[in-house]
């Protein structure tokens, strides 16, 4: 039977405790061979750490606390303090088991994702019969049957049927999503509705699910800056301790009149209390827990360093379309000057012949009001202006207000149209012969959560910027509504990159949030690149963190998560350093013995690990921040 590392650590701790208790009882009863029981306790409890310490020292030339603990236990036994040596090993083994538990718990989200990843799929042939095959054998273009309650085996497109899909494994959202024909399906999500047919669009190794697993694995194996610094410090610190121990033994013995046993005993106590176990555990368990917390809530960090840096954010820039806005235009203004029902029927009959986003927006807005009088009609596209059709000798045109020289718009209506354009809206006009009978204002409106998120960052004094390739008026309309500090419009990809580089020089830690191919260079050059999960693959590849669902509130949650991580790691470092200093001084003044030193040292390690486990708690999006509002007029650049 194979045991997990967590179970092995727990078993070692239990065996160590049992033999330690047996040895204590035998010692008190006066049995001569009681040291054998303590030796077994030390072997069972300290074998793994001692082996790791020796291997790390010999192979990687890196001294760590495991080696110090092994030497301290051996030293205690040499001077006859068998119980203290076994007790030291037990508590050190217990803290190691707790750290193993923390690591396992922190990685449970990735483990659960792995378990959710389907291994087989039902392949449909041309006759409609199904064959169960391995997911790895599927090719792009294959047709699959997904039964009710089954996992979507691979990324693809819904080709037949409608269903409700549970996408919690991908987005972290518990509310199922309605899917219709041609909608995207993601491997690892659950089909809650009736059986559906899908078409494979990606190979198994390129699916979004596989990418999530890869990203989380990489992140949990990439240490934060603090953890890397502590690891480097550990090597030097252990060398200092190993040099200090002989001095602690010899100086009091030679110059302060201490006995040899007392001097050696104090050296062993110093070996225990000066070991930086708690300091070493200050950052890594908390960071792993924070990364897992983010993964559970639909936010992927590609390394602890990016999560850690987010707390020090000074400036954040957003792409507009698809990031701050929905990415699709909606009708914000509709004015019918005459013959509303007739104009509406003609409008929709013409727009149904187009796949243009503006046409789709008009259909979405008015489709429920249409009686479908005209059905299918012949429509001619006028490049650069709009569409035209003739019905019963009447010429209907829809498009720009300056459709041609013959169309007539009076001055009052022209001013109203110009006002809509000033507000950044695209204006579409409907003409009957040469007379305007309706006009519509369309705008890619901000997402509902965008203003709240922008306000959150502004309240913290973080400079906000919008960078877009859209024209000035539209950019200004969105930025004004969201109260963004700075706007850059008409930007090409290289322009975005230059702006981000300048902000990085000025503010230090800056972030860029985007979703398109044109955002990729800027994402790569920012201190922290943030990609929207429903954006392009290249944006996700070059970014440092990914919001799996296009929900900006997850960005706010990530910032709060990072601030909490920084707070907890700082608490751990201050606490562990303070305990080490206190124990060293207490030992020098002969105020503590080895058991108390062991309890103080290993107890602080356990407390630090438990404090780090607080990062597993979900952070709500709603959080009160400083009421001080950094009022700053929008700067258009």
């Amino acid at each position: 039977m194979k045991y997990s590392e967590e179970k092995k650590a727990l078993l070692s701790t239990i065996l160590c405790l049992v033999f330690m208790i047996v040895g204590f009882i035998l010692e008190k009863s006066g049995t001569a061979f009681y040291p054998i029981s303590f030796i077994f306790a030390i072997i069972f409890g300290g074998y793994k750490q001692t082996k790791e310490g020796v291997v790390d020292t010999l192979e990687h030339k890196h001294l760590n606390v495991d080696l110090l603990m092994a030497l301290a236990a051996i030293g205690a036994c040499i001077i006859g303090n068998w119980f203290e040596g076994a007790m030291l090993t037990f508590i050190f083994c217990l803290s190691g088991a707790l750290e193993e538990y923390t690591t396992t718990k922190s990685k449970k989200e990735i483990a659960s994702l792995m378990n959710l990843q389907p291994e087989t799929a039902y392949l449909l042939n041309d006759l409609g019969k199904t064959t169960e095959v391995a997911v790895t054998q599927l090719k792009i273009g294959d047709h699959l049957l997904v039964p009710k309650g089954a996992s979507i085996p691979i990324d693809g497109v819904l080709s037949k049927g409608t269903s409700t899909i549970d996408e919690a494994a991908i987005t972290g959202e518990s509310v199922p999503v309605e899917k219709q024909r041609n909608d995207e399906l993601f491997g690892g999500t659950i089909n809650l509705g009736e059986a559906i047919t899908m078409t494979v669009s990606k190979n198994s190794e390129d699916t979004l699910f596989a990418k999530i697993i890869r990203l989380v694995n990489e992140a949990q194996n990439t240490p934060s800056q603090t953890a890397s610094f502590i690891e480097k410090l550990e090597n030097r610190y252990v060398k200092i301790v190993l040099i200090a121990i002989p001095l602690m033994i010899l100086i009091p013995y030679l110059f302060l009149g201490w006995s040899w046993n007392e001097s050696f005993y104090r050296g062993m106590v110093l070996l225990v209390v000066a070991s930086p176990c708690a300091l070493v555990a200050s950052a890594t368990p908390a960071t792993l827990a924070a990364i897992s917390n983010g993964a559970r809530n639909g936010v992927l960090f590609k390394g602890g360093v990016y999560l850690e840096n987010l707390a020090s954010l000074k400036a954040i820039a957003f792409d507009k379309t698809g990031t701050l806005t929905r990415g699709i235009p909606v009708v914000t203004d509709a004015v019918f000057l005459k013959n509303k029902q007739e104009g509406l029927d003609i409008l929709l009959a013409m727009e149904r012949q187009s796949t243009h986003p503006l046409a789709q927006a008009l259909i979405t807005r008015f489709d429920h009001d249409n009686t479908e009088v005209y059905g299918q009609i012949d429509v001619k596209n006028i490049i650069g202006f709009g569409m035209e059709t003739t019905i019963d000798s009447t010429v209907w045109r829809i498009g720009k207000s300056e459709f041609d020289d013959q169309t007539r718009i009076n001055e009052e209506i022209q001013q109203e149209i110009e006002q809509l354009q000033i507000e950044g809206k695209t204006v579409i006009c409907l003409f009957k012969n040469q007379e305007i009978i309706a006009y519509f204002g369309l705008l890619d409106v901000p997402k509902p959560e965008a203003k709240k998120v922008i306000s959150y960052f502004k309240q913290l004094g973080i400079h906000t910027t919008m960078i877009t390739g859209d024209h000035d008026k539209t950019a200004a309309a969105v930025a004004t509504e969201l109260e963004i500090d700075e706007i850059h419009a008409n930007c090409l990809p290289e322009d975005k990159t230059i702006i981000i580089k300048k902000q990085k020089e000025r503010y230090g830690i800056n972030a860029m949030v985007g979703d398109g191919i044109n955002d990729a260079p800027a994402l790569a050059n920012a201190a922290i690149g943030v990609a929207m999960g429903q954006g392009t693959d290249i944006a996700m590849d070059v970014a440092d963190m990914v919001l799996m669902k296009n929900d900006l509130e997850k960005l706010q949650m990530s910032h709060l998560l990072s601030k909490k991580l920084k707070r907890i790691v700082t608490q751990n470092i201050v606490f562990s350093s303070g305990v080490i200093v206190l124990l060293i001084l207490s030992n020098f003044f002969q105020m503590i013995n080895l058991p108390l030193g062991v309890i103080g040292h290993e107890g602080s390690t356990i407390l630090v690990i438990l404090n780090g486990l607080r990062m597993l708690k979900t952070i709500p999006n709603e959080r009160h921040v400083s009421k001080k509002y950094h009022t700053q007029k929008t700067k258009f650049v």
Side-chain angles (χ1 to χ4, degrees):
M1 180 184 294
K2 291 185 178 180
Y3 292 95
S4 65
E5 291 300 318
E6 182 184 3
K7 289 182 179 179
K8 287 180 181 178
L10 179 60
L11 182 61
S12 297
T13 304
I14 293 172
L15 288 173
C16 180
L17 176 62
V18 169
F19 279 106
M20 183 181 73
I21 293 173
V22 172
F24 179 78
I25 295 172
L26 292 176
E27 183 181 15
K28 293 302 180 182
S29 65
T31 306
F33 52 84
Y34 71 87
I36 296 175
S37 185
F38 285 128
I39 290 173
F40 276 115
I42 293 171
I43 290 173
F44 280 115
Y47 172 75
K48 181 176 182 290
Q49 285 89 343
T50 303
K51 179 182 176 183
E52 289 176 353
V54 172
V55 170
D56 218 14
T57 302
L58 296 178
E59 293 186 3
H60 306 292
K61 310 299 181 184
H62 180 270
L63 297 172
N64 59 28
V65 294
D66 296 333
L67 188 62
L68 292 185
M69 289 299 98
L71 292 175
I74 293 170
C77 294
I78 289 174
I79 59 175
N81 293 87
W82 296 97
F83 176 72
E84 284 87 343
M87 183 180 178
L88 167 62
T89 305
F90 166 69
I91 299 182
F92 187 58
C93 185
L94 178 63
S95 67
L98 182 59
E99 189 165 358
E100 194 67 51
Y101 166 77
T102 303
T103 302
T104 302
K105 189 170 180 62
S106 297
K107 292 185 176 182
K108 71 175 183 178
E109 282 77 21
I110 188 66
S112 63
L113 284 178
M114 292 289 287
N115 292 333
L116 286 173
Q117 192 169 22
E119 296 181 356
T120 61
Y122 293 103
L123 180 65
L124 278 169
N125 61 21
D126 295 337
L127 299 176
K129 293 184 178 181
T130 60
T131 305
E132 190 171 4
V133 299
V135 171
T136 53
Q137 296 178 3
L138 296 176
K139 302 185 295 294
I140 296 174
D142 283 347
H143 298 289
L144 310 177
L145 176 69
V146 183
K148 180 179 180 179
S151 295
I152 308 292
I154 197 168
D155 285 10
V157 176
L158 181 60
S159 54
K160 184 179 180 181
T162 60
S163 187
T164 303
I165 306 296
D166 179 0
E167 295 187 337
I170 297 290
T171 65
E173 296 295 324
S174 58
V175 180
V177 180
E178 298 295 328
K179 295 285 186 177
Q180 298 178 349
R181 188 174 180 181
N182 295 326
D183 283 348
E184 276 192 297
L185 300 174
F186 301 109
T189 57
I190 310 297
N191 177 25
L192 301 179
E194 298 302 320
I196 56 175
T197 301
M198 64 175 290
T199 303
V200 178
S201 63
K202 290 184 180 179
N203 293 319
S204 59
E205 66 271 15
D206 298 325
T207 64
L208 183 61
F209 203 83
K211 186 172 290 186
I212 291 173
I213 293 172
R214 196 158 54 242
L215 290 178
V216 177
N217 264 327
E218 289 173 2
Q220 293 189 324
N221 290 309
T222 305
S224 65
Q225 286 180 326
T226 303
S228 298
F229 172 76
I230 290 175
E231 186 177 352
K232 292 178 182 177
L233 178 66
E234 178 188 18
N235 187 41
R236 297 175 183 175
Y237 184 88
V238 170
K239 290 178 181 177
I240 294 172
V241 171
L242 290 176
I243 294 172
I245 299 304
L247 296 177
M248 181 67 196
I249 295 173
L250 293 174
I251 291 176
Y253 175 69
L254 296 175
F255 302 104
L256 300 181
W258 292 10
S259 66
W260 172 254
N261 281 346
E262 178 66 16
S263 297
F264 192 86
Y265 182 81
R266 289 298 158 190
M268 294 304 99
V269 175
L270 178 64
L271 190 59
V272 173
V273 301
S275 298
C277 293
L279 185 61
V280 171
S282 294
T284 300
T287 303
L288 288 175
I291 289 172
S292 295
N293 191 335
R296 187 175 68 241
N297 287 282
V299 182
L300 302 183
F301 296 93
K302 293 187 179 179
V305 62
Y306 308 116
L307 173 58
E308 186 178 68
N309 285 344
L310 195 59
S312 304
L313 188 67
K314 300 299 180 185
I316 184 166
F318 299 85
D319 171 48
K320 181 181 76 69
T321 306
T323 301
L324 289 174
T325 64
R326 297 176 186 271
I328 54 174
V330 296
V331 178
T332 58
D333 301 86
V335 180
F336 288 88
L337 301 172
K338 57 177 64 175
N339 302 329
K340 177 178 179 180
Q341 192 58 55
E342 180 187 26
L344 197 56
D345 292 339
I346 291 291
L347 169 74
L348 293 176
M350 295 178 69
E351 295 293 21
R352 287 197 183 99
Q353 312 305 312
S354 173
T355 58
H356 195 282
L358 297 179
Q360 297 305 309
L362 287 165
I363 293 171
T364 301
R365 172 67 175 81
F366 296 112
D367 201 29
H368 60 281
D369 297 329
N370 181 235
T371 58
E372 297 193 21
V373 172
Y374 294 96
Q376 187 79 19
I377 59 175
D378 292 326
V379 175
K380 180 172 65 173
N381 285 310
I382 310 298
I383 304 299
F385 290 95
M387 296 188 298
E388 178 182 289
T389 188
T390 301
I391 300 175
D392 298 331
S393 302
T394 301
V395 178
W396 294 88
R397 297 182 178 92
I398 184 166
K400 295 182 178 180
S401 58
E402 60 276 13
F403 203 100
D404 60 35
D405 296 335
Q406 297 178 358
T407 53
R408 298 191 304 271
I409 301 177
N410 66 43
E411 186 175 343
E412 182 180 351
I413 295 174
Q414 185 63 46
Q415 288 177 353
E416 293 175 358
I417 290 173
E418 289 175 358
Q419 180 57 41
L420 292 177
Q421 291 173 333
I422 290 172
E423 294 172 4
K425 298 172 183 176
T426 300
V427 178
I428 298 296
C429 298
L430 178 64
F431 298 94
K432 183 178 182 180
N433 292 324
Q434 281 77 43
E435 183 182 7
I436 184 170
I437 65 167
Y439 61 91
F440 313 94
L442 297 93
L443 183 68
D444 183 9
V445 297
K447 294 177 180 178
E449 72 275 12
K451 187 168 185 178
K452 191 186 90 167
V453 173
I454 295 294
S455 176
Y456 165 80
F457 285 115
K458 285 168 68 77
Q459 288 182 59
L460 294 176
I462 297 170
H463 186 77
T464 58
T465 305
M466 185 176 76
I467 308 175
T468 178
D470 215 335
H471 57 77
D472 296 352
K473 290 180 180 178
T474 302
V478 174
T480 300
E481 183 176 347
L482 298 179
E483 299 180 348
I484 290 176
D485 295 326
E486 185 178 326
I487 316 169
H488 296 268
N490 298 307
C491 291
L492 297 172
E494 56 265 33
D495 299 324
K496 293 185 178 184
T497 304
I498 292 170
I499 294 166
I500 289 300
K501 285 182 176 179
K502 287 181 178 179
Q503 287 197 344
K504 190 174 182 180
E505 291 176 3
R506 179 180 178 184
Y507 295 102
I509 302 296
N510 72 324
M512 171 67 191
V513 188
D515 65 339
I517 294 174
N518 60 334
D519 298 319
L523 292 172
N525 280 279
I528 305 171
V530 184
M532 308 300 279
Q534 295 177 10
T536 60
D537 286 346
I538 188 170
M540 293 175 63
D541 288 340
V542 302
D544 304 309
M545 59 179 284
V546 181
L547 308 180
M548 292 313 300
K549 190 175 181 182
N550 284 16
D551 184 358
L552 286 174
E553 285 189 323
K554 297 296 185 184
L555 182 60
Q556 177 179 330
M557 183 274 290
S558 300
H559 189 256
L560 290 168
L561 186 72
S562 179
K563 286 165 67 72
K564 182 178 179 180
L565 174 63
K566 183 178 181 180
R567 193 162 58 245
I568 285 179
V569 170
T570 302
Q571 291 169 358
N572 286 347
I573 291 174
V574 172
F575 173 72
S576 57
S577 301
V579 169
I580 289 173
V581 171
L582 179 63
L583 291 176
I584 289 175
L585 291 175
S586 298
N587 178 52
F588 185 78
F589 290 105
Q590 300 175 298
M591 296 171 63
I592 59 171
N593 55 20
L594 187 56
L596 284 177
V598 170
I599 292 171
H601 175 265
E602 296 301 333
S604 65
T605 304
I606 292 172
L607 288 175
V608 160
I609 294 171
L610 290 175
N611 194 37
L613 273 175
R614 289 167 53 207
M615 289 306 308
L616 288 171
K617 184 178 179 182
T618 299
I619 293 181
N621 285 325
E622 298 292 340
R623 177 70 69 89
H624 293 291
V625 292
S626 171
K627 291 185 178 180
K628 181 182 177 182
Y629 194 91
H630 296 262
T631 54
Q632 183 176 350
K633 291 184 178 180
T634 298
K635 177 184 176 185
F636 206 113
V637 180

